[in-house]
Amino acid sequence: MGKLDGKVAVITGGTTGMALAGAKLFVAEGAHVFITGRRQEALDEAVRQIGRNVTGVQGDAADLDDLDRLYETVKREKGSLDVLWASAGGGEPALLGEITEAQFDTWFGLNARGTLFTVQKALPLLNDGGSILMTGSNASLGAFPGWSVYAGSKAVQQAWARIWLNELKDRRIRVNVLTPGQVATAKQEELFDEATKRRFESLIPRGRMGRPDEIATAALFLASDDSSYVNGMELVADGGTTAI
Ligand SMILES: NC(=O)c1ccc[n+]([C@@H]2O[C@H](COP(=O)([O-])OP(=O)(O)OC[C@H]3O[C@@H](n4cnc5c(N)ncnc54)[C@H](OP(=O)(O)O)[C@@H]3O)[C@@H](O)[C@H]2O)c1
C-alpha cells in the first residue's frame, strides 16, 4: 500500500530538481501528480520520465492566468486535490546597495506573490484533510551575503503557514514549509562555479550537498498522513548547516 494511494497532488516547478524527484516518489506511492514548468520541452521530458499517473501543465507560477489554467485542468481531469506542493521558486545574488527593482519584483513576484496565489487559487479544489507544503530556503535562516532578496521572499512562508492553518483548521488542511539547504540541482549548476559550490559544501556538516531524492522523502512525509500531527512547521533539510 502506498502512502498517497488515490491522492491527487499538484507540484509547481516540477520538471527538474527536487520537485521532479518528489513527483516520481509521489507517483510511486500511489498519487496522480500534476506538474508545471515554463519550458514545454522540459515538461514533456519530465512527464516521460515519470511515465504514468502524471499530467504536465505548462505555465509560470508567477502568472495568475497560468495558475487559473492549471487549476481548471485539475478540476476537469480529477475534480479535486489532496496535496499542493508550491515548489516553483528561485533567486539570484545581489548585495545590498546593488539590488535592482527588477530583481526585487521578479523574485518576490515568484517566491512570495506567486506562492500566495498558487495556494489561494487551489483552495476551492482542496479536499478537507489536505496538505499544503511550500518550498522555502535555509537562506532565510542564515546570513548569507548577497541573498537578502531571495531570503526575504522565502521567509514570508513561515508566517503564512501559521496563519493559513489557523484559517483552514475547520477543513483540517495542514500547511507546512519544507526548507532545503544546498541541493545539487540544475539551478545550482547554472548559478555557481565549482569553487562556490565547494565553499557552500564547507558549511554543511557532512561536507557535501543534498540530493534531490533527500528532499523528495521529506516532501512525502509532509504530504502524507505520516505527518498528520505536524502543522505550521518548518522542516529544515539542510544537513544541519543552519543548526550549528
Ligand atoms: N537547489 C537548491 O540548493 C535550493 C535550496 C533551497 C531552496 N531551493 C528552492 O527549491 C525550489 C526548487 O529548486 P530546484 O533547485 O530544485 O529547482 P530548479 O532546478 O531551479 O528548477 C525547478 C523547476 O522549477 C521550474 N520553474 C522555475 N521557475 C518557474 C516558474 N516561474 N513557474 C513555474 N515553474 C518554474 C523549472 O522549470 P522551468 O524553468 O521550465 O520553468 C524547473 O522545473 C525553489 O523554490 C528553490 O528556490 C533550492
Side-chain angles (χ1 to χ4, degrees), residues 13 15-16 18 38-39 59-61 87 89-90 110 135-136 150 154 180-183 185 187-188:
T15 63
T16 63
M18 40 192 127
R38 293 162 302 172
R39 293 163 300 151
D60 185 338
S87 177
L110 175 59
T135 302
Y150 178 61
K154 291 283 193 180
Q182 298 298 322
V183 178
T185 64
K187 185 71 176 178
Q188 284 267 341

mmCIF file with all atom_site columns, all heavy atoms in Angstrom, residues 13 15-16 18 38-39 59-61 87 89-90 110 135-136 150 154 180-183 185 187-188, ligand 1:
data_model
loop_
_atom_site.group_PDB
_atom_site.id
_atom_site.type_symbol
_atom_site.label_atom_id
_atom_site.label_alt_id
_atom_site.label_comp_id
_atom_site.label_asym_id
_atom_site.label_entity_id
_atom_site.label_seq_id
_atom_site.pdbx_PDB_ins_code
_atom_site.Cartn_x
_atom_site.Cartn_y
_atom_site.Cartn_z
_atom_site.occupancy
_atom_site.B_iso_or_equiv
_atom_site.pdbx_formal_charge
_atom_site.auth_seq_id
_atom_site.auth_comp_id
_atom_site.auth_asym_id
_atom_site.auth_atom_id
_atom_site.pdbx_PDB_model_num
ATOM   1   N N   . GLY A 1 13  ? 6.567  23.849 -10.623 1.00 0.00 ? 13  GLY A N   1
ATOM   2   C CA  . GLY A 1 13  ? 8.007  23.793 -10.872 1.00 0.00 ? 13  GLY A CA  1
ATOM   3   C C   . GLY A 1 13  ? 8.530  22.385 -10.729 1.00 0.00 ? 13  GLY A C   1
ATOM   4   O O   . GLY A 1 13  ? 9.564  22.152 -10.091 1.00 0.00 ? 13  GLY A O   1
ATOM   5   N N   . THR A 1 15  ? 9.574  20.088 -13.115 1.00 0.00 ? 15  THR A N   1
ATOM   6   C CA  . THR A 1 15  ? 10.173 19.404 -14.265 1.00 0.00 ? 15  THR A CA  1
ATOM   7   C C   . THR A 1 15  ? 11.635 19.038 -14.061 1.00 0.00 ? 15  THR A C   1
ATOM   8   O O   . THR A 1 15  ? 12.199 18.287 -14.856 1.00 0.00 ? 15  THR A O   1
ATOM   9   C CB  . THR A 1 15  ? 10.042 20.252 -15.557 1.00 0.00 ? 15  THR A CB  1
ATOM   10  O OG1 . THR A 1 15  ? 10.771 21.466 -15.394 1.00 0.00 ? 15  THR A OG1 1
ATOM   11  C CG2 . THR A 1 15  ? 8.591  20.558 -15.855 1.00 0.00 ? 15  THR A CG2 1
ATOM   12  N N   . THR A 1 16  ? 12.286 19.602 -13.051 1.00 0.00 ? 16  THR A N   1
ATOM   13  C CA  . THR A 1 16  ? 13.669 19.208 -12.735 1.00 0.00 ? 16  THR A CA  1
ATOM   14  C C   . THR A 1 16  ? 13.846 19.259 -11.224 1.00 0.00 ? 16  THR A C   1
ATOM   15  O O   . THR A 1 16  ? 12.940 19.643 -10.495 1.00 0.00 ? 16  THR A O   1
ATOM   16  C CB  . THR A 1 16  ? 14.724 20.175 -13.371 1.00 0.00 ? 16  THR A CB  1
ATOM   17  O OG1 . THR A 1 16  ? 14.546 21.477 -12.798 1.00 0.00 ? 16  THR A OG1 1
ATOM   18  C CG2 . THR A 1 16  ? 14.601 20.239 -14.876 1.00 0.00 ? 16  THR A CG2 1
ATOM   19  N N   . MET A 1 18  ? 14.526 18.911 -7.202  1.00 0.00 ? 18  MET A N   1
ATOM   20  C CA  . MET A 1 18  ? 13.923 18.177 -6.079  1.00 0.00 ? 18  MET A CA  1
ATOM   21  C C   . MET A 1 18  ? 12.432 17.934 -6.277  1.00 0.00 ? 18  MET A C   1
ATOM   22  O O   . MET A 1 18  ? 11.899 16.913 -5.851  1.00 0.00 ? 18  MET A O   1
ATOM   23  C CB  . MET A 1 18  ? 14.203 18.860 -4.745  1.00 0.00 ? 18  MET A CB  1
ATOM   24  C CG  . MET A 1 18  ? 14.126 20.347 -4.752  1.00 0.00 ? 18  MET A CG  1
ATOM   25  S SD  . MET A 1 18  ? 14.813 20.993 -3.207  1.00 0.00 ? 18  MET A SD  1
ATOM   26  C CE  . MET A 1 18  ? 16.004 22.154 -3.806  1.00 0.00 ? 18  MET A CE  1
ATOM   27  N N   . ARG A 1 38  ? 7.760  26.223 -16.984 1.00 0.00 ? 38  ARG A N   1
ATOM   28  C CA  . ARG A 1 38  ? 7.569  27.169 -18.105 1.00 0.00 ? 38  ARG A CA  1
ATOM   29  C C   . ARG A 1 38  ? 7.999  26.578 -19.444 1.00 0.00 ? 38  ARG A C   1
ATOM   30  O O   . ARG A 1 38  ? 7.422  26.868 -20.464 1.00 0.00 ? 38  ARG A O   1
ATOM   31  C CB  . ARG A 1 38  ? 8.347  28.461 -17.822 1.00 0.00 ? 38  ARG A CB  1
ATOM   32  C CG  . ARG A 1 38  ? 7.801  29.262 -16.659 1.00 0.00 ? 38  ARG A CG  1
ATOM   33  C CD  . ARG A 1 38  ? 8.817  30.247 -16.163 1.00 0.00 ? 38  ARG A CD  1
ATOM   34  N NE  . ARG A 1 38  ? 10.042 29.554 -15.762 1.00 0.00 ? 38  ARG A NE  1
ATOM   35  C CZ  . ARG A 1 38  ? 11.171 30.138 -15.418 1.00 0.00 ? 38  ARG A CZ  1
ATOM   36  N NH1 . ARG A 1 38  ? 11.255 31.455 -15.413 1.00 0.00 ? 38  ARG A NH1 1
ATOM   37  N NH2 . ARG A 1 38  ? 12.218 29.433 -15.062 1.00 0.00 ? 38  ARG A NH2 1
ATOM   38  N N   . ARG A 1 39  ? 9.023  25.737 -19.434 1.00 0.00 ? 39  ARG A N   1
ATOM   39  C CA  . ARG A 1 39  ? 9.547  25.198 -20.711 1.00 0.00 ? 39  ARG A CA  1
ATOM   40  C C   . ARG A 1 39  ? 8.821  23.906 -21.078 1.00 0.00 ? 39  ARG A C   1
ATOM   41  O O   . ARG A 1 39  ? 8.919  22.907 -20.373 1.00 0.00 ? 39  ARG A O   1
ATOM   42  C CB  . ARG A 1 39  ? 11.061 24.922 -20.578 1.00 0.00 ? 39  ARG A CB  1
ATOM   43  C CG  . ARG A 1 39  ? 11.912 26.173 -20.413 1.00 0.00 ? 39  ARG A CG  1
ATOM   44  C CD  . ARG A 1 39  ? 13.282 25.807 -19.873 1.00 0.00 ? 39  ARG A CD  1
ATOM   45  N NE  . ARG A 1 39  ? 13.174 25.140 -18.579 1.00 0.00 ? 39  ARG A NE  1
ATOM   46  C CZ  . ARG A 1 39  ? 14.034 24.247 -18.113 1.00 0.00 ? 39  ARG A CZ  1
ATOM   47  N NH1 . ARG A 1 39  ? 15.065 23.876 -18.812 1.00 0.00 ? 39  ARG A NH1 1
ATOM   48  N NH2 . ARG A 1 39  ? 13.847 23.690 -16.926 1.00 0.00 ? 39  ARG A NH2 1
ATOM   49  N N   . GLY A 1 59  ? 3.225  26.352 -17.651 1.00 0.00 ? 59  GLY A N   1
ATOM   50  C CA  . GLY A 1 59  ? 2.805  27.626 -17.080 1.00 0.00 ? 59  GLY A CA  1
ATOM   51  C C   . GLY A 1 59  ? 3.831  28.199 -16.129 1.00 0.00 ? 59  GLY A C   1
ATOM   52  O O   . GLY A 1 59  ? 4.723  27.499 -15.649 1.00 0.00 ? 59  GLY A O   1
ATOM   53  N N   . ASP A 1 60  ? 3.667  29.490 -15.878 1.00 0.00 ? 60  ASP A N   1
ATOM   54  C CA  . ASP A 1 60  ? 4.546  30.248 -14.994 1.00 0.00 ? 60  ASP A CA  1
ATOM   55  C C   . ASP A 1 60  ? 3.822  30.435 -13.659 1.00 0.00 ? 60  ASP A C   1
ATOM   56  O O   . ASP A 1 60  ? 2.717  30.995 -13.624 1.00 0.00 ? 60  ASP A O   1
ATOM   57  C CB  . ASP A 1 60  ? 4.838  31.605 -15.651 1.00 0.00 ? 60  ASP A CB  1
ATOM   58  C CG  . ASP A 1 60  ? 5.843  32.433 -14.876 1.00 0.00 ? 60  ASP A CG  1
ATOM   59  O OD1 . ASP A 1 60  ? 6.026  32.197 -13.662 1.00 0.00 ? 60  ASP A OD1 1
ATOM   60  O OD2 . ASP A 1 60  ? 6.443  33.331 -15.487 1.00 0.00 ? 60  ASP A OD2 1
ATOM   61  N N   . ALA A 1 61  ? 4.455  30.002 -12.574 1.00 0.00 ? 61  ALA A N   1
ATOM   62  C CA  . ALA A 1 61  ? 3.806  30.079 -11.255 1.00 0.00 ? 61  ALA A CA  1
ATOM   63  C C   . ALA A 1 61  ? 3.665  31.519 -10.761 1.00 0.00 ? 61  ALA A C   1
ATOM   64  O O   . ALA A 1 61  ? 2.991  31.761 -9.765  1.00 0.00 ? 61  ALA A O   1
ATOM   65  C CB  . ALA A 1 61  ? 4.577  29.244 -10.243 1.00 0.00 ? 61  ALA A CB  1
ATOM   66  N N   . SER A 1 87  ? 6.375  24.561 -5.161  1.00 0.00 ? 87  SER A N   1
ATOM   67  C CA  . SER A 1 87  ? 7.844  24.447 -5.150  1.00 0.00 ? 87  SER A CA  1
ATOM   68  C C   . SER A 1 87  ? 8.526  25.434 -6.093  1.00 0.00 ? 87  SER A C   1
ATOM   69  O O   . SER A 1 87  ? 9.703  25.745 -5.913  1.00 0.00 ? 87  SER A O   1
ATOM   70  C CB  . SER A 1 87  ? 8.260  23.021 -5.535  1.00 0.00 ? 87  SER A CB  1
ATOM   71  O OG  . SER A 1 87  ? 9.664  22.916 -5.603  1.00 0.00 ? 87  SER A OG  1
ATOM   72  N N   . GLY A 1 89  ? 10.255 28.315 -7.597  1.00 0.00 ? 89  GLY A N   1
ATOM   73  C CA  . GLY A 1 89  ? 10.885 29.450 -6.936  1.00 0.00 ? 89  GLY A CA  1
ATOM   74  C C   . GLY A 1 89  ? 12.279 29.641 -7.480  1.00 0.00 ? 89  GLY A C   1
ATOM   75  O O   . GLY A 1 89  ? 12.751 28.852 -8.305  1.00 0.00 ? 89  GLY A O   1
ATOM   76  N N   . GLY A 1 90  ? 12.928 30.673 -7.029  1.00 0.00 ? 90  GLY A N   1
ATOM   77  C CA  . GLY A 1 90  ? 14.289 30.893 -7.487  1.00 0.00 ? 90  GLY A CA  1
ATOM   78  C C   . GLY A 1 90  ? 14.836 32.200 -6.957  1.00 0.00 ? 90  GLY A C   1
ATOM   79  O O   . GLY A 1 90  ? 14.165 32.899 -6.195  1.00 0.00 ? 90  GLY A O   1
ATOM   80  N N   . LEU A 1 110 ? 7.636  35.856 -7.839  1.00 0.00 ? 110 LEU A N   1
ATOM   81  C CA  . LEU A 1 110 ? 7.521  34.394 -7.925  1.00 0.00 ? 110 LEU A CA  1
ATOM   82  C C   . LEU A 1 110 ? 7.439  33.761 -6.523  1.00 0.00 ? 110 LEU A C   1
ATOM   83  O O   . LEU A 1 110 ? 6.476  33.056 -6.209  1.00 0.00 ? 110 LEU A O   1
ATOM   84  C CB  . LEU A 1 110 ? 8.715  33.818 -8.696  1.00 0.00 ? 110 LEU A CB  1
ATOM   85  C CG  . LEU A 1 110 ? 8.809  32.294 -8.761  1.00 0.00 ? 110 LEU A CG  1
ATOM   86  C CD1 . LEU A 1 110 ? 7.576  31.672 -9.421  1.00 0.00 ? 110 LEU A CD1 1
ATOM   87  C CD2 . LEU A 1 110 ? 10.077 31.855 -9.509  1.00 0.00 ? 110 LEU A CD2 1
ATOM   88  N N   . THR A 1 135 ? 8.011  25.271 -0.654  1.00 0.00 ? 135 THR A N   1
ATOM   89  C CA  . THR A 1 135 ? 9.470  25.155 -0.556  1.00 0.00 ? 135 THR A CA  1
ATOM   90  C C   . THR A 1 135 ? 10.067 26.494 -0.158  1.00 0.00 ? 135 THR A C   1
ATOM   91  O O   . THR A 1 135 ? 9.996  27.469 -0.913  1.00 0.00 ? 135 THR A O   1
ATOM   92  C CB  . THR A 1 135 ? 10.091 24.706 -1.891  1.00 0.00 ? 135 THR A CB  1
ATOM   93  O OG1 . THR A 1 135 ? 9.507  23.452 -2.265  1.00 0.00 ? 135 THR A OG1 1
ATOM   94  C CG2 . THR A 1 135 ? 11.590 24.513 -1.749  1.00 0.00 ? 135 THR A CG2 1
ATOM   95  N N   . GLY A 1 136 ? 10.639 26.522 1.026   1.00 0.00 ? 136 GLY A N   1
ATOM   96  C CA  . GLY A 1 136 ? 11.360 27.708 1.483   1.00 0.00 ? 136 GLY A CA  1
ATOM   97  C C   . GLY A 1 136 ? 12.830 27.599 1.124   1.00 0.00 ? 136 GLY A C   1
ATOM   98  O O   . GLY A 1 136 ? 13.192 26.974 0.116   1.00 0.00 ? 136 GLY A O   1
ATOM   99  N N   . TYR A 1 150 ? 16.265 37.077 -2.009  1.00 0.00 ? 150 TYR A N   1
ATOM   100 C CA  . TYR A 1 150 ? 15.800 35.685 -2.036  1.00 0.00 ? 150 TYR A CA  1
ATOM   101 C C   . TYR A 1 150 ? 15.317 35.250 -0.644  1.00 0.00 ? 150 TYR A C   1
ATOM   102 O O   . TYR A 1 150 ? 14.202 34.738 -0.490  1.00 0.00 ? 150 TYR A O   1
ATOM   103 C CB  . TYR A 1 150 ? 16.962 34.798 -2.503  1.00 0.00 ? 150 TYR A CB  1
ATOM   104 C CG  . TYR A 1 150 ? 16.672 33.321 -2.550  1.00 0.00 ? 150 TYR A CG  1
ATOM   105 C CD1 . TYR A 1 150 ? 15.674 32.813 -3.378  1.00 0.00 ? 150 TYR A CD1 1
ATOM   106 C CD2 . TYR A 1 150 ? 17.416 32.422 -1.777  1.00 0.00 ? 150 TYR A CD2 1
ATOM   107 C CE1 . TYR A 1 150 ? 15.421 31.441 -3.424  1.00 0.00 ? 150 TYR A CE1 1
ATOM   108 C CE2 . TYR A 1 150 ? 17.176 31.060 -1.833  1.00 0.00 ? 150 TYR A CE2 1
ATOM   109 C CZ  . TYR A 1 150 ? 16.175 30.576 -2.655  1.00 0.00 ? 150 TYR A CZ  1
ATOM   110 O OH  . TYR A 1 150 ? 15.926 29.231 -2.707  1.00 0.00 ? 150 TYR A OH  1
ATOM   111 N N   . LYS A 1 154 ? 11.359 34.278 0.596   1.00 0.00 ? 154 LYS A N   1
ATOM   112 C CA  . LYS A 1 154 ? 11.013 32.932 1.089   1.00 0.00 ? 154 LYS A CA  1
ATOM   113 C C   . LYS A 1 154 ? 10.575 32.970 2.552   1.00 0.00 ? 154 LYS A C   1
ATOM   114 O O   . LYS A 1 154 ? 9.786  32.125 2.993   1.00 0.00 ? 154 LYS A O   1
ATOM   115 C CB  . LYS A 1 154 ? 12.230 31.997 0.967   1.00 0.00 ? 154 LYS A CB  1
ATOM   116 C CG  . LYS A 1 154 ? 12.623 31.644 -0.471  1.00 0.00 ? 154 LYS A CG  1
ATOM   117 C CD  . LYS A 1 154 ? 11.694 30.613 -1.048  1.00 0.00 ? 154 LYS A CD  1
ATOM   118 C CE  . LYS A 1 154 ? 12.227 30.001 -2.332  1.00 0.00 ? 154 LYS A CE  1
ATOM   119 N NZ  . LYS A 1 154 ? 11.329 28.993 -2.891  1.00 0.00 ? 154 LYS A NZ  1
ATOM   120 N N   . PRO A 1 180 ? 14.874 23.497 2.257   1.00 0.00 ? 180 PRO A N   1
ATOM   121 C CA  . PRO A 1 180 ? 16.135 22.834 1.913   1.00 0.00 ? 180 PRO A CA  1
ATOM   122 C C   . PRO A 1 180 ? 17.328 23.763 2.117   1.00 0.00 ? 180 PRO A C   1
ATOM   123 O O   . PRO A 1 180 ? 17.201 24.984 2.078   1.00 0.00 ? 180 PRO A O   1
ATOM   124 C CB  . PRO A 1 180 ? 15.995 22.531 0.413   1.00 0.00 ? 180 PRO A CB  1
ATOM   125 C CG  . PRO A 1 180 ? 14.626 22.960 0.018   1.00 0.00 ? 180 PRO A CG  1
ATOM   126 C CD  . PRO A 1 180 ? 14.146 23.910 1.062   1.00 0.00 ? 180 PRO A CD  1
ATOM   127 N N   . GLY A 1 181 ? 18.468 23.128 2.310   1.00 0.00 ? 181 GLY A N   1
ATOM   128 C CA  . GLY A 1 181 ? 19.741 23.843 2.183   1.00 0.00 ? 181 GLY A CA  1
ATOM   129 C C   . GLY A 1 181 ? 20.261 23.610 0.779   1.00 0.00 ? 181 GLY A C   1
ATOM   130 O O   . GLY A 1 181 ? 19.479 23.368 -0.148  1.00 0.00 ? 181 GLY A O   1
ATOM   131 N N   . GLN A 1 182 ? 21.568 23.650 0.607   1.00 0.00 ? 182 GLN A N   1
ATOM   132 C CA  . GLN A 1 182 ? 22.145 23.461 -0.727  1.00 0.00 ? 182 GLN A CA  1
ATOM   133 C C   . GLN A 1 182 ? 21.835 22.055 -1.242  1.00 0.00 ? 182 GLN A C   1
ATOM   134 O O   . GLN A 1 182 ? 22.126 21.071 -0.581  1.00 0.00 ? 182 GLN A O   1
ATOM   135 C CB  . GLN A 1 182 ? 23.662 23.641 -0.672  1.00 0.00 ? 182 GLN A CB  1
ATOM   136 C CG  . GLN A 1 182 ? 24.095 25.030 -0.224  1.00 0.00 ? 182 GLN A CG  1
ATOM   137 C CD  . GLN A 1 182 ? 23.628 26.099 -1.184  1.00 0.00 ? 182 GLN A CD  1
ATOM   138 O OE1 . GLN A 1 182 ? 23.625 25.903 -2.386  1.00 0.00 ? 182 GLN A OE1 1
ATOM   139 N NE2 . GLN A 1 182 ? 23.210 27.238 -0.656  1.00 0.00 ? 182 GLN A NE2 1
ATOM   140 N N   . VAL A 1 183 ? 21.223 22.000 -2.419  1.00 0.00 ? 183 VAL A N   1
ATOM   141 C CA  . VAL A 1 183 ? 20.884 20.722 -3.048  1.00 0.00 ? 183 VAL A CA  1
ATOM   142 C C   . VAL A 1 183 ? 21.407 20.763 -4.484  1.00 0.00 ? 183 VAL A C   1
ATOM   143 O O   . VAL A 1 183 ? 21.241 21.773 -5.182  1.00 0.00 ? 183 VAL A O   1
ATOM   144 C CB  . VAL A 1 183 ? 19.356 20.485 -3.041  1.00 0.00 ? 183 VAL A CB  1
ATOM   145 C CG1 . VAL A 1 183 ? 19.013 19.181 -3.744  1.00 0.00 ? 183 VAL A CG1 1
ATOM   146 C CG2 . VAL A 1 183 ? 18.824 20.464 -1.604  1.00 0.00 ? 183 VAL A CG2 1
ATOM   147 N N   . THR A 1 185 ? 21.185 20.641 -7.944  1.00 0.00 ? 185 THR A N   1
ATOM   148 C CA  . THR A 1 185 ? 20.137 20.681 -8.979  1.00 0.00 ? 185 THR A CA  1
ATOM   149 C C   . THR A 1 185 ? 20.648 21.496 -10.166 1.00 0.00 ? 185 THR A C   1
ATOM   150 O O   . THR A 1 185 ? 21.719 22.119 -10.103 1.00 0.00 ? 185 THR A O   1
ATOM   151 C CB  . THR A 1 185 ? 18.856 21.364 -8.453  1.00 0.00 ? 185 THR A CB  1
ATOM   152 O OG1 . THR A 1 185 ? 19.155 22.735 -8.161  1.00 0.00 ? 185 THR A OG1 1
ATOM   153 C CG2 . THR A 1 185 ? 18.310 20.696 -7.202  1.00 0.00 ? 185 THR A CG2 1
ATOM   154 N N   . LYS A 1 187 ? 19.612 24.277 -11.213 1.00 0.00 ? 187 LYS A N   1
ATOM   155 C CA  . LYS A 1 187 ? 19.724 25.692 -10.847 1.00 0.00 ? 187 LYS A CA  1
ATOM   156 C C   . LYS A 1 187 ? 21.086 25.977 -10.217 1.00 0.00 ? 187 LYS A C   1
ATOM   157 O O   . LYS A 1 187 ? 21.725 26.999 -10.486 1.00 0.00 ? 187 LYS A O   1
ATOM   158 C CB  . LYS A 1 187 ? 18.596 26.027 -9.870  1.00 0.00 ? 187 LYS A CB  1
ATOM   159 C CG  . LYS A 1 187 ? 18.514 27.480 -9.490  1.00 0.00 ? 187 LYS A CG  1
ATOM   160 C CD  . LYS A 1 187 ? 18.016 28.331 -10.637 1.00 0.00 ? 187 LYS A CD  1
ATOM   161 C CE  . LYS A 1 187 ? 17.833 29.777 -10.219 1.00 0.00 ? 187 LYS A CE  1
ATOM   162 N NZ  . LYS A 1 187 ? 17.393 30.604 -11.326 1.00 0.00 ? 187 LYS A NZ  1
ATOM   163 N N   . GLN A 1 188 ? 21.540 25.041 -9.383  1.00 0.00 ? 188 GLN A N   1
ATOM   164 C CA  . GLN A 1 188 ? 22.855 25.167 -8.762  1.00 0.00 ? 188 GLN A CA  1
ATOM   165 C C   . GLN A 1 188 ? 23.939 25.237 -9.828  1.00 0.00 ? 188 GLN A C   1
ATOM   166 O O   . GLN A 1 188 ? 24.847 26.053 -9.761  1.00 0.00 ? 188 GLN A O   1
ATOM   167 C CB  . GLN A 1 188 ? 23.121 23.932 -7.889  1.00 0.00 ? 188 GLN A CB  1
ATOM   168 C CG  . GLN A 1 188 ? 22.394 23.933 -6.584  1.00 0.00 ? 188 GLN A CG  1
ATOM   169 C CD  . GLN A 1 188 ? 23.253 24.519 -5.489  1.00 0.00 ? 188 GLN A CD  1
ATOM   170 O OE1 . GLN A 1 188 ? 24.462 24.597 -5.636  1.00 0.00 ? 188 GLN A OE1 1
ATOM   171 N NE2 . GLN A 1 188 ? 22.638 24.950 -4.420  1.00 0.00 ? 188 GLN A NE2 1
HETATM 172 N N1  . LIG B 2 .   ? 18.722 23.947 -5.213  1.00 0.00 ? 1   LIG B N1  1
HETATM 173 C C1  . LIG B 2 .   ? 18.909 24.432 -4.020  1.00 0.00 ? 1   LIG B C1  1
HETATM 174 O O1  . LIG B 2 .   ? 20.016 24.353 -3.463  1.00 0.00 ? 1   LIG B O1  1
HETATM 175 C C2  . LIG B 2 .   ? 17.778 25.086 -3.279  1.00 0.00 ? 1   LIG B C2  1
HETATM 176 C C3  . LIG B 2 .   ? 17.984 25.380 -1.915  1.00 0.00 ? 1   LIG B C3  1
HETATM 177 C C4  . LIG B 2 .   ? 16.938 25.925 -1.184  1.00 0.00 ? 1   LIG B C4  1
HETATM 178 C C5  . LIG B 2 .   ? 15.730 26.160 -1.783  1.00 0.00 ? 1   LIG B C5  1
HETATM 179 N N2  . LIG B 2 .   ? 15.555 25.881 -3.114  1.00 0.00 ? 1   LIG B N2  1
HETATM 180 C C6  . LIG B 2 .   ? 14.239 26.102 -3.671  1.00 0.00 ? 1   LIG B C6  1
HETATM 181 O O2  . LIG B 2 .   ? 13.743 24.871 -4.116  1.00 0.00 ? 1   LIG B O2  1
HETATM 182 C C7  . LIG B 2 .   ? 12.836 25.048 -5.196  1.00 0.00 ? 1   LIG B C7  1
HETATM 183 C C8  . LIG B 2 .   ? 13.256 24.157 -6.350  1.00 0.00 ? 1   LIG B C8  1
HETATM 184 O O3  . LIG B 2 .   ? 14.565 24.451 -6.688  1.00 0.00 ? 1   LIG B O3  1
HETATM 185 P P1  . LIG B 2 .   ? 15.483 23.454 -7.536  1.00 0.00 ? 1   LIG B P1  1
HETATM 186 O O4  . LIG B 2 .   ? 16.880 23.941 -7.359  1.00 0.00 ? 1   LIG B O4  1
HETATM 187 O O5  . LIG B 2 .   ? 15.120 22.046 -7.233  1.00 0.00 ? 1   LIG B O5  1
HETATM 188 O O6  . LIG B 2 .   ? 14.935 23.677 -8.943  1.00 0.00 ? 1   LIG B O6  1
HETATM 189 P P2  . LIG B 2 .   ? 15.412 24.315 -10.326 1.00 0.00 ? 1   LIG B P2  1
HETATM 190 O O7  . LIG B 2 .   ? 16.480 23.447 -10.846 1.00 0.00 ? 1   LIG B O7  1
HETATM 191 O O8  . LIG B 2 .   ? 15.693 25.765 -10.111 1.00 0.00 ? 1   LIG B O8  1
HETATM 192 O O9  . LIG B 2 .   ? 14.096 24.233 -11.161 1.00 0.00 ? 1   LIG B O9  1
HETATM 193 C C9  . LIG B 2 .   ? 12.963 23.602 -10.679 1.00 0.00 ? 1   LIG B C9  1
HETATM 194 C C10 . LIG B 2 .   ? 11.799 23.723 -11.571 1.00 0.00 ? 1   LIG B C10 1
HETATM 195 O O10 . LIG B 2 .   ? 11.094 24.941 -11.382 1.00 0.00 ? 1   LIG B O10 1
HETATM 196 C C11 . LIG B 2 .   ? 10.617 25.346 -12.644 1.00 0.00 ? 1   LIG B C11 1
HETATM 197 N N3  . LIG B 2 .   ? 10.374 26.773 -12.542 1.00 0.00 ? 1   LIG B N3  1
HETATM 198 C C12 . LIG B 2 .   ? 11.265 27.761 -12.320 1.00 0.00 ? 1   LIG B C12 1
HETATM 199 N N4  . LIG B 2 .   ? 10.615 28.934 -12.317 1.00 0.00 ? 1   LIG B N4  1
HETATM 200 C C13 . LIG B 2 .   ? 9.301  28.677 -12.539 1.00 0.00 ? 1   LIG B C13 1
HETATM 201 C C14 . LIG B 2 .   ? 8.140  29.460 -12.654 1.00 0.00 ? 1   LIG B C14 1
HETATM 202 N N5  . LIG B 2 .   ? 8.201  30.797 -12.573 1.00 0.00 ? 1   LIG B N5  1
HETATM 203 N N6  . LIG B 2 .   ? 6.951  28.851 -12.865 1.00 0.00 ? 1   LIG B N6  1
HETATM 204 C C15 . LIG B 2 .   ? 6.871  27.506 -12.982 1.00 0.00 ? 1   LIG B C15 1
HETATM 205 N N7  . LIG B 2 .   ? 7.938  26.712 -12.882 1.00 0.00 ? 1   LIG B N7  1
HETATM 206 C C16 . LIG B 2 .   ? 9.138  27.289 -12.665 1.00 0.00 ? 1   LIG B C16 1
HETATM 207 C C17 . LIG B 2 .   ? 11.709 24.938 -13.617 1.00 0.00 ? 1   LIG B C17 1
HETATM 208 O O11 . LIG B 2 .   ? 11.217 24.767 -14.930 1.00 0.00 ? 1   LIG B O11 1
HETATM 209 P P3  . LIG B 2 .   ? 11.153 25.980 -15.987 1.00 0.00 ? 1   LIG B P3  1
HETATM 210 O O12 . LIG B 2 .   ? 12.476 26.672 -15.916 1.00 0.00 ? 1   LIG B O12 1
HETATM 211 O O13 . LIG B 2 .   ? 10.867 25.322 -17.282 1.00 0.00 ? 1   LIG B O13 1
HETATM 212 O O14 . LIG B 2 .   ? 10.017 26.840 -15.544 1.00 0.00 ? 1   LIG B O14 1
HETATM 213 C C18 . LIG B 2 .   ? 12.083 23.596 -13.037 1.00 0.00 ? 1   LIG B C18 1
HETATM 214 O O15 . LIG B 2 .   ? 11.190 22.622 -13.408 1.00 0.00 ? 1   LIG B O15 1
HETATM 215 C C19 . LIG B 2 .   ? 12.849 26.541 -5.487  1.00 0.00 ? 1   LIG B C19 1
HETATM 216 O O16 . LIG B 2 .   ? 11.760 27.141 -4.834  1.00 0.00 ? 1   LIG B O16 1
HETATM 217 C C20 . LIG B 2 .   ? 14.161 26.998 -4.878  1.00 0.00 ? 1   LIG B C20 1
HETATM 218 O O17 . LIG B 2 .   ? 14.115 28.368 -4.526  1.00 0.00 ? 1   LIG B O17 1
HETATM 219 C C21 . LIG B 2 .   ? 16.555 25.360 -3.869  1.00 0.00 ? 1   LIG B C21 1
#
